[in-house]
Amino acid sequence: MNQPGLRLHLETNINGGISIISERRGVASVLSVIGYFTGPEIEVDPRLNNVAIKFTNNTSVKITATNVMRPRKGVVVFVDWEAPSDIRLGDCINLDSNHWYGGPQQKRQFWPIEKLVLPDYSYITKEADNCGVAEPYWLSSSGTFFFFDRNVPLFVDQNTIVRNAACFIAEVKPPYTKRRNRNDLDYVIGIFDDVRQAHEYAVDVILKKPKGHPDERMLTHPIWSTWARHKRNISHDVVLKFADEITEHGFPNSHIEIDDLWEKCYGSQTVDARRFPDMKSTVDALKDKGFRVTLWTHPFINKDCEPWYTEAKEKGYLVVSESGSVETSWWNDNGTTTAYIDFSNEEARKWYVDRLKILQQAYGIDSFKFDAGESSWSPQIPVLNGNVLEQPVSITEDYVRTVAEFGDLVEVRSGYRTQDLPVFVRMIDKDSYWTFENGLPTVVTTLLQMNLNGYPLVLPDMIGGNGYNAPPTKELFIRWLQANTFMPSMQLSYVPWDFDNETIAISKKFIDLHAKYAPAIIAACRRAVTMGSPVNTPVWWVAPRDPTAQEIWDEYMLGEDILVAPVLAREARVRDVYLPPGSWWAQGDPSRVYPGGEWIRDYPAPLDTLPYFVRSTVPAI
């Protein structure tokens, strides 16, 4: 590898600063940085351990550049930039002609992410923009990554302050607390020969690997949820009828998920006897029908939910704002206010967990679907336990780590520094659209975004979307189901028999295909545990220097040997497919061989067909 020299020049709102430019093979590369103020410019040699610079007003920066050999050979640069809390720090990277991956989960999820427009974007987990996963990680197609420390009060300004640039700004302002006694802009830059090597290093050393994977039945057969089809109109009779329909139509299951609204009131974690007069008999009946059972739950207690709300408030189990209020809001306020359980408080965590365990033991519940967890639901600005420099997003980690103890059927929807947990991270609710407005195309792009943030155990949302404006059409439902086939799990709520017999037949075909390839899905999950590999990789994973592969957004892979090219456009019956180098069997059929490294134009994809390709060196299934 040709070691790049580093010229450093960051930006601050005092006189002077540093930014980072990487020169690789004599060509200015992705790290060319745009600053607002001129300052000293220095050469950093990777053979030197440290360079330190002091500025006025107690501001200083320390740069450490080092060669690394494991798990990949490259150069890693640590930038530690510290200032008083009233000083704003920043650095901008020119996005150049490279492609970029990682970044925040978004409702309008582009892939690659260089098209995102983020104006002064607070980099925390939040309801806005579906940002349930907010790992401060940016990865370039040229083999460079940026990763920001948890103590940085980070804002991102992409494509607004400077066109075709992402500016990373540390500033102590809301949603970050003024209780911070300093400002930090600490980050790591990794420079490697290609994008895959860069990501493999980042996962092994920084992002970390999951310690296990979800239940194998959950990876093989569908989850059936009451939510999208029934919303809050659930009861003993509704749930049992739903289970009977699934069985009568000959569909398999991992488990059935009783979603909102089974509680007496939100946060009571007590069954509403009007809807479920005997929850134990409900659960027993479901298990007699061959279903395991999970319950939807959340971290909130509504103000009118007594006596639980008063108990939690008096015991100090609720998040309090800097103004002393516990009141906040969520989507189920019911005209009142709510409170957020303080998962940074050990006693509050125990109180929450113990009540769920009572539910499990009383009714035979197998596990839970844990909703929310984003820091923005807290009363603003929250006062949390722990290191103030890690707040407010630390509550997401505290919540997710708390609920992960409920076993291998757990699903969460938020994540922050929790890549090591062996639980499914669900995509936030998708809408029943064909468009990039949180519709079908974003199922694929969000899958890739999450995997490239180090979350390989991705649970796609409901097949067909959630139908908030209108239920999915037959065509949208079928194409959505097909797109899910080689993802880790399939989650249904809208059902094929609400359409017609053709939909039932096509749905069975692809649910069976998912089960047929479940051993490959399980093997990919195991590789994620042992090697840190994404379960569903982008096409460039097997061709990291292929410029065409680097920009593909509407295909994905299962591991390294199965390429999936779902139809994502309404009324489309053909699509173009790009195959990476190698030899590929269409639909896994050894008699239909295509060479890689080129496009297949107008590949036929009638409504009952999902284009997928298996590397010819893999034994046929």
Side-chain angles (χ1 to χ4, degrees):
M1 174 177 178
N2 295 328
Q3 302 291 12
L6 293 176
R7 285 187 290 119
L8 300 166
H9 186 128
L10 285 161
E11 175 259 325
T12 176
N13 58 349
I14 62 173
N15 186 22
I18 304 176
S19 302
I20 297 186
I21 299 173
S22 166
E23 290 185 354
R24 170 177 277 174
R25 301 179 182 89
V27 179
S29 185
V30 297
L31 302 183
S32 56
V33 181
I34 304 154
Y36 300 110
F37 296 87
T38 59
E41 189 167 271
I42 61 173
E43 294 288 335
V44 175
D45 188 322
R47 293 169 296 183
L48 301 177
N49 287 330
N50 297 310
V51 174
I53 305 171
K54 288 188 178 294
F55 299 91
T56 59
N57 295 353
N58 297 316
T59 300
S60 64
V61 65
K62 178 180 177 182
I63 304 105
T64 303
T66 184
N67 291 311
V68 296
M69 303 300 293
R70 296 179 181 178
R72 291 290 180 263
K73 182 179 178 182
V75 175
V76 176
V77 180
F78 299 88
V79 179
D80 300 314
W81 202 198
E82 184 175 325
S85 60
D86 61 339
I87 297 296
R88 180 176 182 265
L89 304 172
D91 196 4
C92 298
I93 61 172
N94 190 332
L95 300 177
D96 288 330
S97 58
N98 296 286
H99 296 299
W100 289 82
Y101 316 103
Q105 185 178 1
Q106 294 283 279
K107 188 171 186 177
R108 199 178 209 305
Q109 186 70 64
F110 288 116
W111 178 271
I113 65 169
E114 61 267 14
K115 293 181 182 179
L116 286 178
V117 177
L118 302 172
D120 196 29
Y121 194 83
S122 59
Y123 210 81
I124 61 170
T125 55
K126 53 189 170 185
E127 174 199 15
D129 310 312
N130 282 10
C131 193
V133 173
E135 295 299 331
Y137 176 63
W138 280 260
L139 173 68
S140 166
S141 59
S142 70
T144 300
F145 71 77
F146 282 71
F147 183 83
F148 291 80
D149 192 82
R150 62 171 69 228
N151 66 352
V152 178
L154 183 63
F155 293 83
V156 179
D157 199 293
Q158 183 169 318
N159 290 322
T160 58
I161 291 178
V162 182
R163 188 175 180 180
N164 198 37
C167 296
F168 303 103
I169 299 161
E171 187 169 7
V172 181
K173 66 178 184 179
Y176 303 101
T177 177
K178 292 287 187 181
R179 292 178 290 124
R180 291 169 174 257
N181 59 12
R182 68 173 197 263
N183 191 15
D184 298 272
L185 183 57
D186 299 342
Y187 55 98
V188 180
I189 305 167
I191 305 167
F192 295 83
D193 271 349
D194 63 49
V195 61
R196 176 169 173 169
Q197 292 183 50
H199 186 67
E200 286 175 331
Y201 177 89
V203 169
D204 193 77
V205 176
I206 298 171
L207 300 176
K208 304 302 182 184
K209 304 183 285 284
K211 295 175 181 175
H213 61 71
D215 170 76
E216 291 190 3
R217 181 172 158 189
M218 199 175 178
L219 295 167
T220 304
H221 299 304
I223 301 162
W224 297 87
S225 171
T226 61
W227 172 248
R229 190 182 191 221
H230 296 288
K231 299 298 189 289
R232 298 180 181 88
N233 300 315
I234 61 170
S235 65
H236 169 88
D237 292 339
V238 168
V239 173
L240 291 189
K241 183 175 183 293
F242 188 36
D244 285 339
E245 290 177 359
I246 295 164
T247 302
E248 289 166 2
H249 286 91
F251 285 88
N253 77 84
S254 164
H255 57 273
I256 194 166
E257 181 182 270
I258 301 175
D259 212 292
D260 188 355
L261 174 70
W262 57 268
E263 286 183 283
K264 185 175 182 180
C265 54
Y266 289 116
S268 66
Q269 294 179 345
T270 301
V271 173
D272 184 349
R274 296 166 299 177
R275 294 169 177 262
F276 296 93
D278 184 352
M279 181 63 91
K280 182 68 166 61
S281 70
T282 305
V283 174
D284 287 347
L286 290 169
K287 292 193 171 186
D288 288 343
K289 298 174 189 295
F291 290 86
R292 297 178 296 183
V293 182
T294 64
L295 287 180
W296 168 86
T297 192
H298 52 83
F300 306 109
I301 304 181
N302 277 7
K303 190 174 182 178
D304 60 358
C305 191
E306 296 293 357
W308 301 278
Y309 179 89
T310 296
E311 178 188 359
K313 186 175 180 180
E314 290 178 349
K315 289 183 176 179
Y317 293 166
L318 305 177
V319 178
V320 180
S321 72
E322 291 182 342
S323 64
S325 174
V326 300
E327 295 187 0
T328 186
S329 63
W330 69 306
W331 62 90
N332 276 338
D333 289 341
N334 293 340
T336 180
T337 59
T338 195
Y340 193 149
I341 294 170
D342 186 357
F343 288 89
S344 72
N345 178 330
E346 183 178 357
E347 291 184 2
R349 292 196 299 267
K350 185 176 186 303
W351 181 73
Y352 181 84
V353 166
D354 286 349
R355 292 190 303 139
L356 288 182
K357 287 181 176 178
I358 290 171
L359 270 175
Q360 279 193 291
Q361 293 164 4
Y363 305 122
I365 303 299
D366 292 287
S367 191
F368 298 92
K369 167 187 176 177
F370 293 97
D371 215 339
E374 296 88 350
S375 62
S376 64
W377 299 115
S378 302
Q380 298 296 307
I381 293 172
V383 178
L384 303 170
N385 293 284
N387 187 347
V388 72
L389 298 180
E390 299 177 6
Q391 299 176 20
V393 76
S394 58
I395 195 171
T396 298
E397 179 176 8
D398 292 333
Y399 173 59
V400 174
R401 291 196 180 280
T402 298
V403 303
E405 70 176 72
F406 282 94
D408 56 8
L409 288 177
V410 164
E411 60 172 280
V412 299
R413 81 169 203 185
S414 53
Y416 177 76
R417 301 295 205 273
T418 50
Q419 293 96 330
D420 60 303
L421 296 176
V423 299
F424 263 134
V425 183
R426 177 177 64 88
M427 297 180 192
I428 296 183
D429 298 22
K430 295 293 182 183
D431 292 305
S432 301
Y433 299 146
W434 287 97
T435 68
F436 264 95
E437 301 301 327
N438 202 39
L440 175 57
T442 68
V443 175
V444 175
T445 55
T446 304
L447 176 79
L448 296 173
Q449 182 270 345
M450 293 174 72
N451 271 272
L452 267 292
N453 269 300
Y455 291 94
L457 307 175
V458 177
L459 177 61
D461 193 42
M462 312 294 179
I463 287 169
N466 285 270
Y468 292 127
N469 294 306
T473 63
K474 169 184 172 177
E475 183 188 15
L476 181 61
F477 178 85
I478 289 172
R479 292 306 197 189
W480 204 302
L481 188 146
Q482 291 171 349
N484 269 219
T485 300
F486 289 91
M487 297 180 189
S489 190
M490 307 182 86
Q491 185 173 195
L492 290 111
S493 186
Y494 289 113
V495 293
W497 50 93
D498 278 347
F499 299 101
D500 55 26
N501 288 335
E502 182 185 34
T503 308
I504 294 172
I506 293 173
S507 298
K508 283 184 176 179
K509 172 182 176 180
F510 290 102
I511 287 171
D512 289 346
L513 185 64
H514 177 89
K516 177 181 176 181
Y517 279 93
I521 293 170
I522 293 166
C525 290
R526 289 173 178 165
R527 284 194 298 273
V529 173
T530 58
M531 302 171 61
S533 306
V535 170
N536 291 117
T537 60
V539 177
W540 59 250
W541 189 258
V542 296
R545 301 188 188 189
D546 181 339
T548 301
Q550 289 172 353
E551 65 182 0
I552 299 292
W553 65 267
D554 59 350
E555 302 175 15
Y556 68 90
M557 300 188 70
L558 172 60
E560 300 187 17
D561 298 316
I562 300 172
L563 182 140
V564 188
V567 174
L568 305 177
R570 179 168 28 204
E571 298 181 359
R573 297 296 184 265
V574 297
R575 66 154 292 165
D576 295 342
V577 179
Y578 183 76
L579 295 177
S583 183
W584 299 86
W585 294 339
Q587 317 305 110
D589 181 354
S591 67
R592 300 173 61 193
V593 183
Y594 285 88
E598 56 188 56
W599 287 93
I600 306 171
R601 300 296 181 184
D602 294 328
Y603 185 87
L607 188 60
D608 66 347
T609 298
L610 165 67
Y612 74 94
F613 301 80
V614 179
R615 196 181 294 276
S616 63
T617 55
V618 177
I621 294 179

